[in-house]
Amino acid sequence: MLLSVIVPLYNEEEIVATTFKVLEEELKDVEHELIFVNDGSKDKTREILEGLLPTTPNNKLVNFSRNFGHQAAFSAGLDKATGDAVVIIDGDLQDPPSLIHEMLEKWREGYQVVYAQRNKRAGETIFKRFTAFAFYRIIGKLTSIDIPPDTGDYRLMDRCVVNQLKNLPERSRFLRGLVCWVGFKKIGVKYDRAERTAGTSKYPLKKMIRLALDGITGFSSAPLKISFYMGIFATLVGFGIFVWSILEKFLSPTTTVPGWASLMTAIVFFSGVQLMTIGILGEYIGRIYDEVKQRPLYIEDKK
């Protein structure tokens, strides 16, 4: 049995050597390969890895020509993995590598996907914890697939699952949703997420919002349906304003400026609804635009 462990990295020079040593020590009794995906780092991450990997010839290093993103890095690792089971884990050691052994036990019991589910999230702000909590509950309500709450990308997958993921051609990827979409037998293992031991998070609010949008729009058409219902609601409100304006004209002809209230209310309300629905439509059209271009998900730097 060969285990592949995929580790995406972006500007992690402060911790990459520690990550390498911890993983090698943790997996010393397991036949394995480590696949480090350098996602266009601008620091010394690449140089450090190139110095470490020759000591372990089974391991691999994939260098991107630029920063293509977290999900593309995981996808590149899946393309290179040859193991019977594949683990994907972030390179900052917040997710404990020791959990891999428990995942392997569940895999041997017959589970084809073993995902890590967080009990606690140490070292994170209240805002980040709240938004993560809200996101998983919202996407759980909007989508028809069962995406476990409080789970990241840290998980073990059987080779049959990996093969199915590699056959999916889409570019705007939300991997934890795709894993659930392909199906197979799943189970979760609980753990407490630790603080970073070095460096800072490379996943700012902008990237989190982008990932959330990919998750929601990639697995649900609910926002389009919501915009339709908003249009019906706006029509009813507009009709109500029309009736109110007529009544106001006949019941209190001298107390109000004719037409001002109804005009301003209608303009503000309908403008807001239109902008929101156009934005929702634009998000879906943008995804279609990205898909039809058929650009590669990532480009390797072969140097």
Side-chain angles (χ1 to χ4, degrees):
M1 190 278 290
L2 176 65
L3 174 68
S4 299
V5 180
I6 301 167
V7 189
L9 297 162
Y10 178 64
N11 292 345
E12 296 287 5
E13 64 179 2
E14 296 170 304
I15 198 172
V16 61
T18 303
T19 300
F20 175 81
K21 293 174 184 177
V22 168
L23 286 170
E24 282 292 349
E25 178 63 26
E26 196 67 49
L27 300 174
K28 61 183 179 182
D29 297 325
V30 179
E31 185 181 358
H32 68 277
E33 62 176 5
L34 300 181
I35 304 171
F36 290 94
V37 183
N38 174 33
D39 188 14
S41 296
K42 298 177 182 178
D43 61 4
K44 296 181 180 179
T45 298
R46 175 173 181 166
E47 289 79 359
I48 294 171
L49 284 171
E50 287 175 343
L52 290 170
L53 292 188
T55 62
T56 51
N58 289 336
N59 296 334
K60 302 172 183 176
L61 172 60
V62 180
N63 289 302
F64 283 178
S65 60
R66 63 168 177 84
N67 179 241
F68 282 90
H70 197 242
Q71 302 298 296
F74 278 138
S75 299
L78 293 177
D79 290 340
K80 303 297 182 183
T82 59
D84 304 292
V86 178
V87 169
I88 53 179
I89 182 173
D90 287 333
D92 53 18
L93 294 181
Q94 285 187 276
D95 300 322
S98 58
L99 200 65
I100 293 175
H101 297 288
E102 186 175 349
M103 290 179 171
L104 284 170
E105 290 178 10
K106 296 295 183 183
W107 177 65
R108 294 186 183 104
E109 291 174 11
Y111 293 97
Q112 294 151 303
V113 176
V114 186
Y115 55 85
Q117 198 164 26
R118 301 159 182 156
N119 282 320
K120 298 178 182 179
R121 302 166 67 103
E124 295 183 354
T125 63
I126 295 176
F127 174 77
K128 186 169 184 179
R129 291 198 300 270
F130 171 76
T131 51
F133 176 87
F135 166 71
Y136 285 110
R137 274 71 191 172
I138 290 171
I139 198 172
K141 295 293 185 181
L142 294 180
T143 62
S144 58
I145 59 173
D146 183 21
I147 300 177
D150 306 317
T151 60
D153 291 308
Y154 187 22
R155 64 192 62 216
L156 177 146
M157 297 173 289
D158 186 83
R159 168 51 55 183
C160 65
V161 180
V162 173
N163 289 340
Q164 293 303 317
L165 291 174
K166 289 169 64 176
N167 289 332
L168 299 178
E170 59 196 80
R171 268 69 179 164
S172 299
R173 296 199 151 204
F174 181 64
L175 191 60
R176 62 199 75 168
L178 291 175
V179 173
C180 296
W181 184 86
V182 298
F184 299 101
K185 190 176 180 181
K186 303 176 179 64
I187 193 171
V189 291
K190 300 279 189 177
Y191 77 106
D192 294 333
R193 198 167 201 234
E195 295 185 53
R196 266 182 166 265
T197 56
T200 58
S201 174
K202 308 306 184 298
Y203 227 76
L205 180 61
K206 180 180 178 181
K207 288 186 177 181
M208 288 192 293
I209 292 174
R210 181 70 259 170
L211 183 65
L213 288 175
D214 284 341
I216 292 172
T217 56
F219 293 93
S220 174
S221 61
L224 293 173
K225 295 176 183 177
I226 291 171
S227 66
F228 171 73
Y229 292 126
M230 288 175 62
I232 295 176
F233 177 71
T235 302
L236 294 175
V237 171
F239 180 76
I241 292 173
F242 172 71
V243 173
W244 173 77
S245 299
I246 294 176
L247 294 175
E248 185 75 9
K249 179 178 179 64
F250 287 102
L251 297 177
S252 304
T254 60
T255 58
T256 58
V257 177
W260 182 85
S262 59
L263 180 62
M264 291 304 296
T265 302
I267 290 174
V268 172
F269 181 80
F270 287 112
S271 296
V273 171
Q274 288 172 353
L275 288 173
M276 186 176 295
T277 52
I278 289 171
I280 292 172
L281 289 171
E283 183 63 35
Y284 280 90
I285 292 170
R287 291 178 63 86
I288 295 171
Y289 176 65
D290 284 339
E291 294 296 331
V292 299
K293 286 186 292 188
Q294 292 291 298
R295 289 177 181 170
L297 188 61
Y298 59 88
I299 297 174
E300 288 185 51
D301 182 355
K302 296 292 186 181
K303 184 171 61 176

